[in-house]
Amino acid sequence: MLVSTLALCGCEVGQGEGAVHSDWLHASGCWDGPFDLRPTFFAANPYQNTMMIRLQHGQQQEEEADGVLILVNDVAQVRDNLLGQQIPLGLPANVTPPGVPVIPGPAPLVTMSLYLHATCHAQNSALYAVGGWINFDSLFSGDLNEDKADRRLTKAQFEATVADPRDGILTTDASGKSSLSYPSNVTSVVTGDMQFFFHRGTPAQPFP
């Protein structure tokens, strides 16, 4: 069973299936309309108990491409307790608009960003999930030497509300609790899905 499953998933780094699109994406000075990433490259980069997942159009360096980065801050928690459940998306704890102090509170379990470095070039080219959810049906174990196909599979769906963090507005309620809100005209909804097997590739050669 393991051999046949591996044969079906292929052997090249970056192979997978998925989609990322928005009925209307707003990125100030860059994009304002329907958006379809059409990802062709899928990768997972584990580190200790965290994992960075990348869905990208093309195999260029991130600085030259459009793609999505998803950071899972506790792989064990997701795999042990949260598979098949909607996990809230939120800003990284240290990301706030200019002049706004970091708001105390637990860091989101999963964060997401959409980068448009190929499309936007010199303009602002990164939008962050400020709301929404992601649902993992399966998540790679993080073991670089994993030999079980089902533990190398990452499969998920998401619906993210994205915005430029600089557009956030700090509000304080009657109890004195502060929070960031984002006007509807600066947010966009991005939906997507992915399915790919982790494959350990040859380390990059930075010099000829």
Side-chain angles (χ1 to χ4, degrees), residues 72-83:
V72 181
N73 289 302
D74 192 331
V75 172
Q77 171 73 351
V78 173
R79 284 179 50 83
D80 293 345
N81 303 309
L82 297 173
L83 292 181

Side-chain angles (χ1 to χ4, degrees), residues 51-198:
M51 189 179 307
M52 182 71 77
I53 298 169
R54 180 157 59 111
L55 290 69
Q56 185 172 286
H57 184 78
Q59 299 188 29
Q60 305 95 322
Q61 296 291 327
E62 292 173 29
E63 294 79 6
E64 302 172 348
D66 295 344
V68 169
L69 286 177
I70 299 169
L71 177 61
V72 181
N73 289 302
D74 192 331
V75 172
Q77 171 73 351
V78 173
R79 284 179 50 83
D80 293 345
N81 303 309
L82 297 173
L83 292 181
Q85 300 183 39
Q86 292 185 359
I87 302 170
L89 295 168
L91 281 174
N94 60 344
V95 176
T96 60
V100 175
V102 174
I103 299 173
L109 184 58
V110 184
T111 62
M112 179 186 297
S113 61
L114 170 67
Y115 56 92
L116 302 171
H117 302 315
T119 297
C120 297
H121 304 294
Q123 297 94 341
N124 170 55
S125 55
L127 301 172
Y128 290 80
V130 297
W133 53 266
I134 186 167
N135 182 343
F136 287 98
D137 298 311
S138 180
L139 180 62
F140 167 47
S141 68
D143 181 355
L144 296 177
N145 299 309
E146 183 62 70
D147 60 359
K148 296 181 179 179
D150 61 336
R151 293 174 60 85
R152 296 194 296 109
L153 174 65
T154 294
K155 181 179 180 181
Q157 311 84 40
F158 61 83
E159 181 178 298
T161 300
V162 300
D164 183 340
R166 294 175 297 184
D167 292 329
I169 299 172
L170 183 65
T171 58
T172 305
D173 62 20
S175 67
K177 182 179 179 180
S178 298
S179 61
L180 286 172
S181 62
Y182 293 83
S184 59
N185 64 323
V186 300
T187 61
S188 311
V189 175
V190 176
T191 60
D193 59 79
M194 67 187 112
Q195 179 173 329
F196 67 96
F197 287 87
F198 173 79

